[in-house]
Amino acid sequence: MKASRLMKTLAACCAAWALLPVVLTAQAEAPKPAADPHASVTAVPAATAPAQVASENKAAPIPLETLMDPELLKIMATIPVQQQGRVKPLETVARTTLLLPMYGKQSMKAEKFNETTGKVEPVLDPQTGKPVVNAKGKSTLSAMEWMLISLFRPDIGKELNVFVVDNSDAVVILNLHGKGKRDRYSYNEIAEGRQKLSQKMEEFRGMDPAKLSPESRALYKLSQDFLDYDMMLGHFDFARNPFGDQVGKVPAEILSPADGPNPPIAALLPKMAAYFKAHPEAQAPMANPWFFNFIRTLLCAKMNGVPQEQMNLFPPDDKNLEVWKSPGAIMQEALSGAEVSAHEYAMLTAWGELGRLDGTASSSDFKAKAKQVADTLSKAASDRGQTGHIGLELLLHKGDFFTRALYMFVLGSLALSAAWVSPGGRWEKTCKSICWGAMIIGAVLGTVGIIIRSLIMERPPITTLYETIIFITTTSVIGALLVEWMSRRKDLAMTVACISGVAGMFLSIRFFEMEGKDSLVQLQAVLITNFWLATHVPCINLGYACGMVACKTSMVYFTRRVFGVTKAGDEDARTLTRISYAFVLAGLFLSLVGTVLGGVWANYSWGRFWGWDPKENGALMIVLMNLIILHARLGGYVREAGFHVVNVILGMITIFSWFATNQLGIGLHAYGELSGAWKWLYTIWGVMAGYVVLGMIFAQMDKSSRSGGSVSGGSTREGQKGEHDLLPQAVAK
């Protein structure tokens, strides 16, 4: 057999993977094909018919308690995997590559809503009838717990509500029963409409998902998730029963009666390669059902049709090769006649033996085998110097720093609000102490999380849109806390810190879930320049942070005026104006320096200093707006209320440059595009526009009050003496 022919066959099978459910369904319903012309007369005898073999080979299911053992989960979590260009722990794959895109969260509930009883009921283990719970007896499963269930107990995995569907009409199109507007469905529920789903997927092939209707977009995503999970559920089929119910038709040259229905894969592959070399015409999966089933198990062993997304567990022994291999990739190489080293066969065998374990193995045996596999793969990665930062990444998952920071910011906000209920007493002092402590802890948690991410990726902290959110949020809180500590003026800056922390961290978590992928990504080679990443990018984002703090301070000013807490020209109003002024000054400096550094980097990397890219234009707009604000204030064109109005406009421009330019999908800075982001951007801009209108009303009221009062000179320098401390020299004081 020529290797190129088999490679073409496998490539065609990979391309047709989306239609595999249809083929399997049709195969099950259609008349059985004629006997395999390439099956030897000495194939598995009639006495061992497929049904009987399957019955005899039916393994005892692994007890759920074994899979939920915390020690086993810890061992499996540490297994290194190369995916998307970097080495990461298996737990990250479970969280961000599998569960998050399908389910929308990094943990799941093993529960279902029973429409008959109207109650939420636990998912039951089909073997024991007991509720599916973890070692703590809770129905909430972590990503690793869900992954082990899916890999080793697919019968349970098919009952879990894994797939989130944003539009119930999409499920109705599959002739299935729809639930809520945005609800979750199990594999078994969707499998009833798999033929229709595959047909729809073929219709969508080559189409831009953004141009589809909401129902079609939901179907498009569901089809991708369903096939990914189908591969995951069948990942270990290559070790358990690679030929499925067609084992009785496998030629004796490949599978003799003495081998049993599922011999070790390392012993099976050389026989298959030799058989196909002698019988090249046998490379017809549709004519040979046993080969069709094996191709399916091969694809499942890859766990994804996209090479960068495959579960690449095996580091090659050739150190000149950077890309690791998945079990399916090694199987494909062996079938094509390529040389597979003993080192790679050993890793494939070890991983396959783990998948072959069944309920007859004790919990200690299972953990011992898992430990052996983890040690083997970790050593292979270590020998190549590609161990990644497994421990740090697991710490990042366990610490969940940004979620905990959000909790602290919420606690600080509640404590600050409680302090306002009874001012001037012990209650106020206690609540403010709690607020200070919570906000400082939240800022520390955010900072630690950012530092750990930088250590994992071995680069400065900001490269993606998600990372700008956590960076800007943390630095905004720290900046506002520093101003509060220096001014100590009635918690005005503390209010801004609380708003920044709660809104920013909530946005980061929501963005991460909506994006639905690993947030620790490898950069393009042109961007991997740590000097510029450590200078230009932080400067620009600190400029964003200053602009947003100035904007939020002005929004606090208008809110206090609406409720009559602050009046024009009083001490609180003057303090808020000084705070905003200081951040506008800092924002101008940082934005200008960051923009210039960005131009130098662009000239170094792209051969031009400026290209009128949307992101570049946004940075220029921020610099110009800061200059307009300062000149308007110094020139007397805006006073207190007017100054805060233009600060809110600065915030709108900052959001455009920071977030909206990424959603345009054009330019060299087009990254972080997110479906549905425009709706939220328009909402935020609408709220801010409301503040602008409100501010203009206050500015007009203040102007009328000044012109109608006893103090003259409404537009003269003399008339501004009451606000002299808004100028830079006052800020210095």
Side-chain angles (χ1 to χ4, degrees):
M1 178 195 76
K2 294 184 178 180
S4 59
R5 185 172 179 181
L6 181 57
M7 293 296 288
K8 290 179 180 178
T9 300
L10 292 174
C13 290
C14 290
W17 172 249
L19 295 177
L20 187 56
V22 178
V23 177
L24 292 177
T25 304
Q27 183 184 19
E29 297 176 351
K32 296 297 181 182
D36 180 6
H38 308 292
S40 169
V41 292
T42 58
V44 179
T48 56
Q52 182 178 346
V53 171
S55 175
E56 294 175 355
N57 188 52
K58 189 174 182 180
I62 300 172
L64 190 60
E65 294 77 10
T66 298
L67 298 178
M68 297 297 99
D69 189 310
E71 187 177 350
L72 174 65
L73 291 165
K74 185 177 180 180
I75 292 171
M76 295 294 291
T78 62
I79 292 177
V81 182
Q82 189 190 62
Q83 200 177 57
Q84 297 169 335
R86 75 180 187 91
V87 177
K88 60 182 74 171
L90 186 61
E91 180 172 344
T92 298
V93 177
R95 283 173 174 261
T96 61
T97 306
L98 297 172
L99 185 57
L100 182 62
M102 297 179 194
Y103 189 77
K105 296 182 179 180
Q106 296 183 76
S107 61
M108 71 176 305
K109 288 276 191 180
E111 296 176 342
K112 283 187 173 183
F113 179 76
N114 189 323
E115 295 185 358
T116 303
T117 62
K119 297 180 180 179
V120 176
E121 300 176 353
V123 173
L124 302 180
D125 184 341
Q127 300 297 325
T128 63
K130 297 179 180 179
V132 176
V133 294
N134 58 22
K136 297 180 180 179
K138 297 182 179 180
S139 61
T140 300
L141 303 177
S142 68
M144 277 305 302
E145 290 168 341
W146 164 76
M147 186 178 200
L148 292 193
I149 287 175
S150 301
L151 289 175
F152 297 100
R153 287 294 304 275
D155 57 330
I156 299 178
K158 292 178 180 181
E159 293 292 335
L160 299 174
N161 283 345
V162 173
F163 308 113
V164 60
V165 181
D166 291 327
N167 194 313
S168 60
D169 293 338
V171 178
V172 175
I173 293 175
L174 301 178
N175 300 322
L176 302 176
H177 173 64
K179 300 180 182 178
K181 184 65 177 176
R182 186 179 192 270
D183 218 324
R184 292 182 169 86
Y185 298 80
S186 69
Y187 177 94
N188 282 338
E189 289 172 329
I190 301 300
E192 296 178 11
R194 64 189 304 165
Q195 185 171 352
K196 184 75 171 178
L197 181 64
S198 297
Q199 291 172 356
K200 287 294 181 182
M201 188 176 182
E202 184 63 17
E203 291 178 14
F204 300 149
R205 189 176 301 277
M207 297 178 64
D208 183 1
K211 297 180 180 179
L212 298 175
S213 66
E215 297 85 0
S216 296
R217 282 199 299 271
L219 272 178
Y220 183 88
K221 180 180 182 302
L222 178 60
S223 63
Q224 297 287 342
D225 293 344
F226 184 83
L227 291 176
D228 286 345
Y229 196 46
D230 198 22
M231 287 186 178
M232 183 179 177
L233 293 170
H235 175 72
F236 276 118
D237 284 352
F238 76 91
R240 297 172 183 144
N241 193 7
F243 302 106
D245 60 359
Q246 300 297 318
V247 64
K249 298 182 179 180
V250 180
E253 294 94 326
I254 296 176
L255 191 65
S256 66
D259 293 329
N262 57 337
I265 193 68
L268 182 65
L269 290 173
K271 292 183 178 180
M272 292 189 70
Y275 178 81
F276 284 126
K277 186 175 183 179
H279 304 278
E281 69 280 5
Q283 301 174 59
M286 297 308 296
N288 294 316
W290 62 268
F291 185 47
F292 182 92
N293 282 358
F294 188 83
I295 290 296
R296 183 186 183 281
T297 61
L298 184 152
L299 295 174
C300 289
K302 292 184 176 183
M303 202 107 99
N304 201 296
V306 181
Q308 295 82 3
E309 299 287 340
Q310 292 176 11
M311 196 162 74
N312 296 323
L313 292 159
F314 307 142
D317 46 357
D318 184 352
K319 295 185 178 180
N320 294 321
L321 300 176
E322 291 293 327
V323 180
W324 295 15
K325 299 178 182 179
S326 66
I330 291 181
M331 293 167 61
Q332 183 172 329
E333 289 182 2
L335 285 184
S336 66
E339 182 179 355
V340 177
S341 67
H343 166 76
E344 291 172 336
Y345 266 136
M347 291 187 294
L348 179 63
T349 300
W351 184 249
E353 288 299 320
L354 180 63
R356 286 160 62 95
L357 291 177
D358 58 21
T360 59
S362 66
S363 178
S364 58
D365 291 341
F366 202 99
K367 286 186 287 188
K369 174 60 72 173
K371 183 70 165 57
Q372 177 187 348
V373 171
D375 290 344
T376 299
L377 299 181
S378 297
K379 184 179 184 303
S382 179
D383 291 343
R384 293 171 51 87
Q386 286 184 286
T387 55
H389 295 280
I390 302 295
L392 279 175
E393 196 157 344
L394 292 174
L395 174 62
L396 185 66
H397 294 318
K398 184 178 181 180
D400 201 6
F401 296 98
F402 305 117
T403 301
R404 295 185 181 184
L406 174 61
Y407 294 156
M408 289 294 103
F409 293 148
V410 170
L411 175 61
S413 301
L414 294 175
L416 182 62
S417 301
W420 296 337
V421 174
S422 179
R426 182 185 294 268
W427 173 261
E428 180 187 24
K429 184 176 180 180
T430 301
C431 289
K432 286 185 177 180
S433 297
I434 294 173
C435 177
W436 267 103
M439 296 304 295
I440 290 174
I441 292 173
V444 170
L445 287 170
T447 303
V448 171
I450 291 171
I451 291 173
I452 291 177
R453 289 174 60 90
S454 298
L455 293 175
I456 292 172
M457 299 306 296
E458 298 181 356
R459 56 165 170 73
I462 313 171
T463 57
T464 65
L465 189 55
Y466 169 75
E467 289 175 336
T468 68
I469 300 173
I470 57 177
F471 181 85
I472 289 173
T473 298
T474 304
T475 53
S476 295
V477 171
I478 293 173
L481 289 177
L482 289 174
V483 171
E484 177 68 22
W485 176 71
M486 290 186 291
S487 65
R488 297 188 180 276
R489 286 293 307 168
K490 297 184 179 179
D491 311 312
L492 298 176
M494 180 63 80
T495 303
V496 177
C498 291
I499 294 172
S500 299
V502 173
M505 281 304 174
F506 176 80
L507 174 63
S508 72
I509 294 170
R510 184 66 184 136
F511 180 88
F512 180 68
E513 291 178 349
M514 289 179 66
E515 196 174 33
K517 64 180 183 180
D518 189 2
S519 63
L520 293 168
V521 298
Q522 290 290 97
L523 294 179
Q524 298 177 11
V526 70
L527 298 178
I528 304 177
T529 310
N530 281 359
F531 173 77
W532 299 112
L533 284 174
T535 53
H536 158 65
V537 180
C539 273
I540 285 291
N541 282 273
L542 286 172
Y544 293 161
C546 289
M548 293 307 301
V549 171
C551 171
K552 283 178 276 193
T553 303
S554 296
M555 294 170 74
V556 169
Y557 166 86
F558 289 131
T559 303
R560 290 174 67 91
R561 286 201 61 178
V562 167
F563 289 98
V565 180
T566 296
K567 299 187 182 299
D570 67 10
E571 189 62 30
D572 286 352
R574 292 150 69 90
T575 299
L576 286 168
T577 307
R578 283 197 296 268
I579 293 172
S580 295
Y581 200 99
F583 278 103
V584 169
L585 286 172
L588 172 62
F589 173 77
L590 291 166
S591 299
L592 179 60
V593 172
T595 301
V596 173
L597 288 173
V600 176
W601 185 14
N603 187 60
Y604 173 79
S605 297
W606 296 325
R608 91 295 189 274
F609 182 86
W610 193 265
W612 300 107
D613 184 275
K615 200 77 170 178
E616 296 170 351
N617 295 339
L620 179 60
M621 289 166 61
I622 292 176
V623 173
L624 294 176
M625 191 62 199
N626 279 309
L627 288 171
I628 289 171
I629 293 172
L630 296 179
H631 281 80
R633 181 61 206 155
L634 290 171
Y637 296 103
V638 294
R639 294 202 176 186
E640 184 179 275
F643 174 73
H644 289 289
V645 167
V646 290
N647 280 349
V648 176
I649 296 175
L650 171 64
M652 298 174 73
I653 294 174
T654 301
I655 290 176
F656 171 79
S657 178
W658 167 27
F659 217 96
T661 54
N662 298 80
Q663 310 308 313
L664 297 175
I666 57 176
L668 293 173
H669 294 83
Y671 60 90
E673 186 176 356
L674 185 65
S675 176
W678 284 110
K679 177 183 69 175
W680 292 102
L681 288 171
Y682 289 140
T683 301
I684 294 171
W685 281 329
V687 172
M688 298 174 80
Y691 271 96
V692 170
V693 173
L694 180 65
M696 294 174 68
I697 294 173
F698 279 127
Q700 187 62 37
M701 291 171 56
D702 294 346
K703 181 178 180 181
S704 299
S705 176
R706 286 194 301 270
S707 62
S710 58
V711 179
S712 62
S715 61
T716 63
R717 292 282 185 179
E718 189 66 25
Q720 297 185 50
K721 286 185 177 180
E723 299 180 1
H724 67 88
D725 58 351
L726 306 185
L727 300 180
Q729 59 266 31
V731 175
K733 292 181 182 180

